Amino acid sequence: MEWRVLHFKVARIPVDVHFSHVAISLLLAFSFAQAIGPVYPLDAFLHGGRGAHHGMSHGLTVLLWLPMVTLSVLIHELGHASTARLFGYPATIQLFGLGGRTTAQGVERMPWHQDILFTLAGPTGGLALAVVSGLAALGLGALGHPLRSARYVLEGLVFVNIFWTFVNLFPLASLDGGRIASAVMTRVLGRPGFLWAQLFSLALCGLLLVWAVVKGQAYMALLFGLLSVRSVVNVIGYQKGELPLGEAEHPVATALKRAEALFHEGRLSEAELLAKDALAESTPVGLRSRAHFLLGWVALKEGQGRRALDHFAQVQGLDVPPEALAAGFSLIGDEARAIPLWARAAQGGDVTVLHEYAGALLRAGRDAEARRLPGLRPALAYLAAERVHAVRREFDKAAVMAEAAFREEPGPTLAYNAACDWAQAGNPDAAMRMLTLAAQNGFDDRAHAQADGDLSSLRGTPEFLAWLEALPATPRPKTEPTRTSESEPMTKA
């Protein structure tokens, strides 16, 4: 994670400066202080002009270059950010590494023509700073020697911004010129255009890298080497189907986005069909992994732990959350492997995950350990334990947990849940006992009880018919939450 060292706003645009930017800028400052000379501007003030290479003056000149580099990068990014705001997108700026990144908020991908204008605005901002600095330097030139330090700064800004504007427009990956080349070639050639842009970038980087090495330009060699790596990463992303984004993205990626949206809408069967179509052999590995990831969560929603784990085992390049693996192991009854995963997941502070962790401990017979968990609501922990037992069709164990939840927080829904579990476990006496407690605590939904398949083993018995007859014909409005409203263990994605 990047260490942020400074945060401020320029014209209401948030700017974060990270440590890596300061470190790289310091290296650049040292390089520029060596290259722009031969006279250090502070010699005249510190040492009476005693020597251009005096150590203290050199060091202070390096520190002088540090804000000059940062200002140049900031103006470049402000060019991007201002254009984003003109298009109606709020923008944020982060300065890190060799440069910075401007993010347009509220849009996943700009239209291609806006994207090109947005990208060109950065170099335009840097060029404008060079022009203004150059004119100011010319204006100061007539004032003579006392303002030599100011002219040094202005001339340095001219050099840096013209240099960086020129380099940044090269059609190389990660540079603005590369982004423009990718946008244009993708627009003309479709998705393969992105690949051709990356291959051209890689070839040009190779030539420039050789030139830099021959000329002894260490910094330029480092820059073109890093850009070569970026080109390779983009080619790999293309082969995986992860790049490019937007209108030219891989067709399977578009289908998976639709499947993910259906999943979050609760339309599991439709999501599953779309995701399964993405598992074809011709589908890039990265997209197949996304499909397996989604199918794993669908399986958890449907209570299929083994199927979920099988899908998660085929995920490559994506982090499967520990709670997903824990849920899969809990559903197949392997609490020994589930509990450490639940413990790790619970460190994130999610209340639902905390109670799932406690439920796993309860199913493992570690009741005292479960109750010691900070922030625990025992009734919800017992409900989490009951739900998984019920999915595993261990209805007698589920009923015991449901009764424990009722003892913690007596209420009609908890008693009714226990009755349903006892009925499915084949224990009608225990089921009627809990139905009686449910009615005594306010349960009055006769129509629901008559139609509930979980109570089918009780239908026709005199005790159940008498219990139904005693319920009011019209139920009162409910205020108590059901067992799933506060604890849904297999639904987080």
Side-chain angles (χ1 to χ4, degrees):
M1 180 182 293
E2 283 278 1
W3 176 23
R4 189 177 76 177
V5 297
L6 187 63
H7 173 79
F8 56 92
K9 290 185 178 181
V10 178
R12 295 184 296 176
I13 299 173
V15 179
D16 288 334
V17 181
H18 296 280
F19 175 76
S20 62
H21 169 78
V22 177
I24 296 296
S25 295
L26 195 58
L27 292 175
L28 290 175
F30 180 82
S31 175
F32 290 144
Q34 291 282 85
I36 309 301
V39 177
Y40 296 128
L42 301 178
D43 278 339
F45 297 106
L46 292 175
H47 311 293
R50 231 174 40 172
H53 300 288
H54 193 276
M56 182 177 293
S57 182
H58 180 207
L60 291 173
T61 302
V62 170
L63 293 179
L64 182 65
W65 268 100
L66 186 59
M68 291 164 62
V69 171
T70 297
L71 175 65
S72 299
V73 176
L74 178 60
I75 293 297
H76 178 100
E77 297 303 327
L78 284 172
H80 293 312
S82 300
T83 305
R85 291 180 64 178
L86 285 176
F87 292 143
Y89 310 124
T92 60
I93 295 174
Q94 290 183 312
L95 304 186
F96 61 91
L98 288 171
R101 177 175 59 220
T102 297
T103 304
Q105 306 292 321
V107 59
E108 184 176 350
R109 192 74 174 176
M110 291 183 185
W112 77 279
H113 60 283
Q114 288 187 354
D115 192 25
I116 290 177
L117 293 174
F118 168 82
T119 305
L120 280 173
T124 302
L127 189 60
L129 178 59
V131 171
V132 171
S133 299
L135 293 174
L138 290 174
L140 289 176
L143 299 179
H145 178 78
L147 293 174
R148 188 178 68 182
S149 295
R151 288 188 60 194
Y152 178 90
V153 170
L154 293 170
E155 290 167 358
L157 289 173
V158 172
F159 166 77
V160 168
N161 284 279
I162 289 180
F163 165 79
W164 182 240
T165 297
F166 175 71
V167 172
N168 200 42
L169 288 175
F170 284 7
L172 305 179
S174 293
L175 299 183
D176 289 333
R179 180 168 176 161
I180 293 170
S182 294
V184 172
M185 294 184 72
T186 300
R187 182 70 179 178
V188 174
L189 301 176
R191 186 168 183 267
F194 177 83
L195 177 61
W196 284 111
Q198 305 315 307
L199 293 176
F200 180 77
S201 169
L202 187 58
L204 184 56
C205 276
L207 291 174
L208 291 170
L209 180 58
V210 171
W211 169 84
V213 171
V214 170
K215 293 294 184 179
Q217 298 288 329
Y219 168 71
M220 299 302 292
L222 174 62
L223 173 63
F224 294 130
L226 292 174
L227 294 177
S228 299
V229 172
R230 182 71 256 179
S231 298
V232 172
V233 169
N234 285 349
V235 171
I236 293 173
Y238 178 89
Q239 297 296 339
K240 289 183 176 181
E242 298 169 353
L243 294 173
L245 303 175
E247 296 177 358
E249 70 180 348
H250 197 289
V252 173
T254 303
L256 280 175
K257 284 185 179 180
R258 176 59 180 158
E260 289 159 356
L262 290 169
F263 172 82
H264 290 293
E265 292 170 10
R267 297 158 66 178
L268 300 184
S269 58
E270 296 172 70
E272 185 174 13
L273 286 174
L274 277 177
K276 282 183 175 179
D277 288 341
L279 297 180
E281 286 295 326
S282 58
T283 301
V285 173
L287 294 179
R288 285 207 304 272
S289 289
R290 276 181 61 186
H292 281 300
F293 185 83
L294 178 59
L295 288 168
W297 278 107
V298 170
L300 290 182
K301 279 271 196 176
E302 295 175 343
Q304 300 293 323
R306 174 53 59 196
R307 184 156 57 90
L309 292 172
D310 288 343
H311 282 298
F312 289 143
Q314 299 179 73
V315 172
Q316 301 178 42
L318 296 173
D319 291 328
V320 179
E323 60 266 30
L325 298 173
F329 284 119
S330 284
L331 284 172
I332 65 173
D334 191 348
E335 301 295 359
R337 297 177 72 179
I339 286 174
L341 290 165
W342 282 124
R344 180 151 60 94
Q347 292 175 0
D350 186 282
V351 174
T352 298
V353 173
L354 170 68
H355 287 92
E356 288 304 318
Y357 174 30
L361 291 171
L362 292 171
R363 289 190 298 272
R366 296 158 61 174
D367 300 42
E369 188 176 345
R371 285 183 171 275
R372 285 197 298 269
L373 294 177
L376 186 75
R377 184 175 160 190
L380 291 184
Y382 282 113
L383 276 180
E386 180 265 347
R387 179 183 173 90
V388 173
H389 276 311
V391 171
R392 287 170 11 193
R393 304 193 67 79
E394 300 167 350
F395 294 113
D396 53 344
K397 295 179 180 178
V400 170
M401 293 296 175
E403 283 204 42
F406 173 76
R407 287 193 296 272
E408 293 290 339
E409 296 183 19
T413 301
L414 298 179
Y416 182 83
N417 289 344
C420 290
D421 289 329
W422 281 126
Q424 292 182 93
N427 191 333
D429 292 339
M432 288 308 307
R433 173 172 56 81
M434 294 310 299
L435 285 176
T436 300
L437 286 172
Q440 291 174 354
N441 281 271
F443 183 87
D444 57 4
D445 195 341
R446 180 192 295 183
H448 176 78
Q450 280 181 312
D452 194 340
D454 291 348
L455 299 177
S456 58
S457 64
L458 302 180
R459 289 194 190 123
T461 64
E463 295 83 1
F464 183 66
L465 293 174
W467 179 81
L468 282 176
E469 190 63 28
L471 296 178
T474 304
R476 296 183 296 272
K478 293 291 185 294
T479 58
E480 184 192 26
T482 66
R483 60 177 162 179
T484 59
S485 66
E486 292 183 285
S487 181
E488 292 193 348
M490 310 309 164
T491 61
K492 294 177 66 62

mmCIF file of all heavy atoms in Angstrom, residues 32-64:
data_model
loop_
_atom_site.group_PDB
_atom_site.id
_atom_site.type_symbol
_atom_site.label_atom_id
_atom_site.label_comp_id
_atom_site.label_asym_id
_atom_site.label_seq_id
_atom_site.Cartn_x
_atom_site.Cartn_y
_atom_site.Cartn_z
ATOM 1 N N PHE A 32 18.751 16.153 -12.422
ATOM 2 C CA PHE A 32 18.605 17.446 -13.088
ATOM 3 C C PHE A 32 19.615 18.474 -12.548
ATOM 4 O O PHE A 32 20.126 19.300 -13.290
ATOM 5 C CB PHE A 32 17.185 17.969 -12.934
ATOM 6 C CG PHE A 32 16.164 17.188 -13.733
ATOM 7 C CD1 PHE A 32 14.894 16.975 -13.223
ATOM 8 C CD2 PHE A 32 16.471 16.687 -14.984
ATOM 9 C CE1 PHE A 32 13.956 16.260 -13.956
ATOM 10 C CE2 PHE A 32 15.540 15.971 -15.721
ATOM 11 C CZ PHE A 32 14.279 15.753 -15.204
ATOM 12 N N ALA A 33 19.869 18.423 -11.244
ATOM 13 C CA ALA A 33 20.835 19.354 -10.661
ATOM 14 C C ALA A 33 22.228 19.140 -11.257
ATOM 15 O O ALA A 33 23.011 20.087 -11.414
ATOM 16 C CB ALA A 33 20.883 19.189 -9.143
ATOM 17 N N GLN A 34 22.529 17.883 -11.602
ATOM 18 C CA GLN A 34 23.809 17.590 -12.234
ATOM 19 C C GLN A 34 23.822 18.044 -13.689
ATOM 20 O O GLN A 34 24.828 18.550 -14.191
ATOM 21 C CB GLN A 34 24.074 16.070 -12.197
ATOM 22 C CG GLN A 34 24.335 15.533 -10.807
ATOM 23 C CD GLN A 34 25.740 15.831 -10.359
ATOM 24 O OE1 GLN A 34 26.019 16.906 -9.843
ATOM 25 N NE2 GLN A 34 26.648 14.882 -10.572
ATOM 26 N N ALA A 35 22.654 17.862 -14.354
ATOM 27 C CA ALA A 35 22.614 18.097 -15.795
ATOM 28 C C ALA A 35 22.501 19.569 -16.148
ATOM 29 O O ALA A 35 23.018 20.022 -17.165
ATOM 30 C CB ALA A 35 21.443 17.326 -16.404
ATOM 31 N N ILE A 36 21.748 20.345 -15.362
ATOM 32 C CA ILE A 36 21.520 21.759 -15.688
ATOM 33 C C ILE A 36 22.578 22.579 -14.986
ATOM 34 O O ILE A 36 22.521 22.802 -13.781
ATOM 35 C CB ILE A 36 20.122 22.205 -15.246
ATOM 36 C CG1 ILE A 36 19.072 21.226 -15.765
ATOM 37 C CG2 ILE A 36 19.837 23.607 -15.746
ATOM 38 C CD1 ILE A 36 19.048 21.093 -17.268
ATOM 39 N N GLY A 37 23.515 23.036 -15.661
ATOM 40 C CA GLY A 37 24.621 23.754 -15.038
ATOM 41 C C GLY A 37 25.313 24.624 -16.062
ATOM 42 O O GLY A 37 24.707 25.057 -17.017
ATOM 43 N N PRO A 38 26.566 24.875 -15.896
ATOM 44 C CA PRO A 38 27.451 24.265 -14.897
ATOM 45 C C PRO A 38 27.501 25.000 -13.566
ATOM 46 O O PRO A 38 28.214 24.594 -12.656
ATOM 47 C CB PRO A 38 28.820 24.332 -15.577
ATOM 48 C CG PRO A 38 28.734 25.584 -16.401
ATOM 49 C CD PRO A 38 27.333 25.662 -16.884
ATOM 50 N N VAL A 39 26.745 26.127 -13.423
ATOM 51 C CA VAL A 39 26.845 26.937 -12.209
ATOM 52 C C VAL A 39 25.635 26.676 -11.331
ATOM 53 O O VAL A 39 24.502 26.759 -11.775
ATOM 54 C CB VAL A 39 26.930 28.437 -12.562
ATOM 55 C CG1 VAL A 39 26.961 29.274 -11.301
ATOM 56 C CG2 VAL A 39 28.150 28.698 -13.419
ATOM 57 N N TYR A 40 25.863 26.342 -10.053
ATOM 58 C CA TYR A 40 24.769 26.205 -9.119
ATOM 59 C C TYR A 40 24.304 27.588 -8.686
ATOM 60 O O TYR A 40 25.116 28.430 -8.302
ATOM 61 C CB TYR A 40 25.191 25.387 -7.894
ATOM 62 C CG TYR A 40 25.537 23.965 -8.251
ATOM 63 C CD1 TYR A 40 26.744 23.409 -7.850
ATOM 64 C CD2 TYR A 40 24.654 23.193 -8.991
ATOM 65 C CE1 TYR A 40 27.065 22.099 -8.174
ATOM 66 C CE2 TYR A 40 24.969 21.887 -9.319
ATOM 67 C CZ TYR A 40 26.166 21.340 -8.918
ATOM 68 O OH TYR A 40 26.474 20.058 -9.244
ATOM 69 N N PRO A 41 22.999 27.855 -8.699
ATOM 70 C CA PRO A 41 22.508 29.212 -8.481
ATOM 71 C C PRO A 41 22.707 29.724 -7.068
ATOM 72 O O PRO A 41 22.658 30.925 -6.838
ATOM 73 C CB PRO A 41 21.011 29.078 -8.798
ATOM 74 C CG PRO A 41 20.687 27.659 -8.505
ATOM 75 C CD PRO A 41 21.893 26.885 -8.914
ATOM 76 N N LEU A 42 22.931 28.828 -6.112
ATOM 77 C CA LEU A 42 23.042 29.286 -4.726
ATOM 78 C C LEU A 42 24.482 29.572 -4.309
ATOM 79 O O LEU A 42 24.722 30.028 -3.202
ATOM 80 C CB LEU A 42 22.427 28.243 -3.784
ATOM 81 C CG LEU A 42 20.945 27.937 -4.049
ATOM 82 C CD1 LEU A 42 20.462 26.858 -3.107
ATOM 83 C CD2 LEU A 42 20.102 29.180 -3.907
ATOM 84 N N ASP A 43 25.447 29.288 -5.193
ATOM 85 C CA ASP A 43 26.847 29.544 -4.836
ATOM 86 C C ASP A 43 27.091 31.004 -4.476
ATOM 87 O O ASP A 43 27.793 31.330 -3.518
ATOM 88 C CB ASP A 43 27.761 29.153 -5.995
ATOM 89 C CG ASP A 43 28.041 27.660 -6.010
ATOM 90 O OD1 ASP A 43 27.881 27.036 -4.947
ATOM 91 O OD2 ASP A 43 28.390 27.139 -7.074
ATOM 92 N N ALA A 44 26.515 31.909 -5.258
ATOM 93 C CA ALA A 44 26.776 33.332 -5.068
ATOM 94 C C ALA A 44 26.294 33.812 -3.708
ATOM 95 O O ALA A 44 26.893 34.686 -3.082
ATOM 96 C CB ALA A 44 26.105 34.144 -6.172
ATOM 97 N N PHE A 45 25.223 33.220 -3.221
ATOM 98 C CA PHE A 45 24.662 33.657 -1.939
ATOM 99 C C PHE A 45 25.351 32.996 -0.751
ATOM 100 O O PHE A 45 25.562 33.604 0.293
ATOM 101 C CB PHE A 45 23.159 33.359 -1.897
ATOM 102 C CG PHE A 45 22.380 34.115 -2.940
ATOM 103 C CD1 PHE A 45 21.883 33.461 -4.056
ATOM 104 C CD2 PHE A 45 22.141 35.473 -2.811
ATOM 105 C CE1 PHE A 45 21.157 34.145 -5.018
ATOM 106 C CE2 PHE A 45 21.431 36.169 -3.769
ATOM 107 C CZ PHE A 45 20.934 35.515 -4.882
ATOM 108 N N LEU A 46 25.725 31.710 -0.911
ATOM 109 C CA LEU A 46 26.284 30.968 0.213
ATOM 110 C C LEU A 46 27.793 31.140 0.353
ATOM 111 O O LEU A 46 28.328 31.153 1.443
ATOM 112 C CB LEU A 46 25.971 29.477 0.061
ATOM 113 C CG LEU A 46 24.484 29.104 0.206
ATOM 114 C CD1 LEU A 46 24.302 27.629 -0.095
ATOM 115 C CD2 LEU A 46 23.980 29.436 1.596
ATOM 116 N N HIS A 47 28.461 31.276 -0.776
ATOM 117 C CA HIS A 47 29.920 31.223 -0.731
ATOM 118 C C HIS A 47 30.583 32.339 -1.530
ATOM 119 O O HIS A 47 31.747 32.221 -1.884
ATOM 120 C CB HIS A 47 30.399 29.864 -1.265
ATOM 121 C CG HIS A 47 29.669 28.723 -0.651
ATOM 122 N ND1 HIS A 47 29.779 28.392 0.675
ATOM 123 C CD2 HIS A 47 28.786 27.851 -1.193
ATOM 124 C CE1 HIS A 47 29.005 27.355 0.934
ATOM 125 N NE2 HIS A 47 28.386 27.009 -0.171
ATOM 126 N N GLY A 48 29.801 33.365 -1.845
ATOM 127 C CA GLY A 48 30.387 34.472 -2.589
ATOM 128 C C GLY A 48 30.888 34.057 -3.953
ATOM 129 O O GLY A 48 31.866 34.591 -4.454
ATOM 130 N N GLY A 49 30.238 33.092 -4.543
ATOM 131 C CA GLY A 49 30.641 32.646 -5.876
ATOM 132 C C GLY A 49 31.904 31.823 -5.852
ATOM 133 O O GLY A 49 32.634 31.758 -6.826
ATOM 134 N N ARG A 50 32.190 31.123 -4.735
ATOM 135 C CA ARG A 50 33.466 30.466 -4.538
ATOM 136 C C ARG A 50 33.700 29.259 -5.444
ATOM 137 O O ARG A 50 34.791 28.817 -5.633
ATOM 138 C CB ARG A 50 33.576 30.006 -3.097
ATOM 139 C CG ARG A 50 34.843 30.441 -2.439
ATOM 140 C CD ARG A 50 34.844 30.106 -0.997
ATOM 141 N NE ARG A 50 34.269 28.804 -0.684
ATOM 142 C CZ ARG A 50 34.314 28.270 0.509
ATOM 143 N NH1 ARG A 50 34.892 28.929 1.476
ATOM 144 N NH2 ARG A 50 33.775 27.107 0.763
ATOM 145 N N GLY A 51 32.666 28.665 -5.939
ATOM 146 C CA GLY A 51 32.890 27.487 -6.771
ATOM 147 C C GLY A 51 31.579 26.822 -7.134
ATOM 148 O O GLY A 51 30.703 26.678 -6.285
ATOM 149 N N ALA A 52 31.493 26.400 -8.383
ATOM 150 C CA ALA A 52 30.234 25.836 -8.881
ATOM 151 C C ALA A 52 29.942 24.470 -8.300
ATOM 152 O O ALA A 52 28.811 24.028 -8.340
ATOM 153 C CB ALA A 52 30.283 25.751 -10.404
ATOM 154 N N HIS A 53 30.973 23.804 -7.771
ATOM 155 C CA HIS A 53 30.751 22.424 -7.337
ATOM 156 C C HIS A 53 30.876 22.266 -5.832
ATOM 157 O O HIS A 53 31.199 21.187 -5.345
ATOM 158 C CB HIS A 53 31.732 21.494 -8.061
ATOM 159 C CG HIS A 53 31.585 21.533 -9.543
ATOM 160 N ND1 HIS A 53 30.502 20.977 -10.184
ATOM 161 C CD2 HIS A 53 32.371 22.084 -10.504
ATOM 162 C CE1 HIS A 53 30.634 21.174 -11.493
ATOM 163 N NE2 HIS A 53 31.754 21.846 -11.706
ATOM 164 N N HIS A 54 30.640 23.314 -5.113
ATOM 165 C CA HIS A 54 30.716 23.213 -3.657
ATOM 166 C C HIS A 54 29.574 22.320 -3.155
ATOM 167 O O HIS A 54 28.429 22.451 -3.578
ATOM 168 C CB HIS A 54 30.623 24.596 -3.019
ATOM 169 C CG HIS A 54 30.995 24.580 -1.569
ATOM 170 N ND1 HIS A 54 30.105 24.253 -0.583
ATOM 171 C CD2 HIS A 54 32.183 24.840 -0.951
ATOM 172 C CE1 HIS A 54 30.721 24.313 0.590
ATOM 173 N NE2 HIS A 54 31.974 24.677 0.392
ATOM 174 N N GLY A 55 29.888 21.417 -2.216
ATOM 175 C CA GLY A 55 28.937 20.396 -1.792
ATOM 176 C C GLY A 55 27.639 20.939 -1.238
ATOM 177 O O GLY A 55 26.559 20.453 -1.574
ATOM 178 N N MET A 56 27.717 21.937 -0.346
ATOM 179 C CA MET A 56 26.497 22.454 0.263
ATOM 180 C C MET A 56 25.574 23.080 -0.789
ATOM 181 O O MET A 56 24.358 22.872 -0.785
ATOM 182 C CB MET A 56 26.820 23.468 1.354
ATOM 183 C CG MET A 56 25.574 24.009 2.065
ATOM 184 S SD MET A 56 25.971 25.157 3.409
ATOM 185 C CE MET A 56 26.783 24.036 4.558
ATOM 186 N N SER A 57 26.168 23.818 -1.693
ATOM 187 C CA SER A 57 25.365 24.445 -2.732
ATOM 188 C C SER A 57 24.717 23.400 -3.625
ATOM 189 O O SER A 57 23.563 23.526 -4.020
ATOM 190 C CB SER A 57 26.244 25.383 -3.569
ATOM 191 O OG SER A 57 25.456 26.031 -4.553
ATOM 192 N N HIS A 58 25.478 22.357 -3.918
ATOM 193 C CA HIS A 58 24.920 21.271 -4.726
ATOM 194 C C HIS A 58 23.731 20.635 -4.022
ATOM 195 O O HIS A 58 22.677 20.398 -4.619
ATOM 196 C CB HIS A 58 26.002 20.226 -5.007
ATOM 197 C CG HIS A 58 25.521 19.081 -5.836
ATOM 198 N ND1 HIS A 58 26.099 17.841 -5.765
ATOM 199 C CD2 HIS A 58 24.516 18.980 -6.731
ATOM 200 C CE1 HIS A 58 25.478 17.021 -6.594
ATOM 201 N NE2 HIS A 58 24.517 17.689 -7.198
ATOM 202 N N GLY A 59 23.882 20.353 -2.723
ATOM 203 C CA GLY A 59 22.795 19.727 -1.977
ATOM 204 C C GLY A 59 21.552 20.586 -1.928
ATOM 205 O O GLY A 59 20.428 20.099 -2.111
ATOM 206 N N LEU A 60 21.730 21.872 -1.704
ATOM 207 C CA LEU A 60 20.581 22.770 -1.670
ATOM 208 C C LEU A 60 19.930 22.912 -3.041
ATOM 209 O O LEU A 60 18.710 23.076 -3.164
ATOM 210 C CB LEU A 60 20.996 24.130 -1.135
ATOM 211 C CG LEU A 60 21.374 24.152 0.349
ATOM 212 C CD1 LEU A 60 21.940 25.519 0.726
ATOM 213 C CD2 LEU A 60 20.181 23.805 1.225
ATOM 214 N N THR A 61 20.733 22.818 -4.078
ATOM 215 C CA THR A 61 20.178 22.877 -5.429
ATOM 216 C C THR A 61 19.318 21.650 -5.704
ATOM 217 O O THR A 61 18.262 21.748 -6.344
ATOM 218 C CB THR A 61 21.310 22.974 -6.470
ATOM 219 O OG1 THR A 61 22.096 24.127 -6.188
ATOM 220 C CG2 THR A 61 20.743 23.093 -7.872
ATOM 221 N N VAL A 62 19.756 20.497 -5.223
ATOM 222 C CA VAL A 62 18.931 19.290 -5.362
ATOM 223 C C VAL A 62 17.587 19.490 -4.669
ATOM 224 O O VAL A 62 16.519 19.166 -5.216
ATOM 225 C CB VAL A 62 19.664 18.067 -4.783
ATOM 226 C CG1 VAL A 62 18.718 16.864 -4.712
ATOM 227 C CG2 VAL A 62 20.879 17.723 -5.622
ATOM 228 N N LEU A 63 17.616 20.049 -3.446
ATOM 229 C CA LEU A 63 16.371 20.296 -2.719
ATOM 230 C C LEU A 63 15.506 21.329 -3.442
ATOM 231 O O LEU A 63 14.273 21.301 -3.340
ATOM 232 C CB LEU A 63 16.676 20.761 -1.295
ATOM 233 C CG LEU A 63 17.339 19.724 -0.385
ATOM 234 C CD1 LEU A 63 17.600 20.329 0.986
ATOM 235 C CD2 LEU A 63 16.464 18.484 -0.264
ATOM 236 N N LEU A 64 16.142 22.250 -4.152
ATOM 237 C CA LEU A 64 15.398 23.228 -4.940
ATOM 238 C C LEU A 64 14.664 22.549 -6.096
ATOM 239 O O LEU A 64 13.540 22.923 -6.449
ATOM 240 C CB LEU A 64 16.362 24.298 -5.467
ATOM 241 C CG LEU A 64 15.749 25.445 -6.287
ATOM 242 C CD1 LEU A 64 14.828 26.280 -5.408
ATOM 243 C CD2 LEU A 64 16.862 26.306 -6.869
#
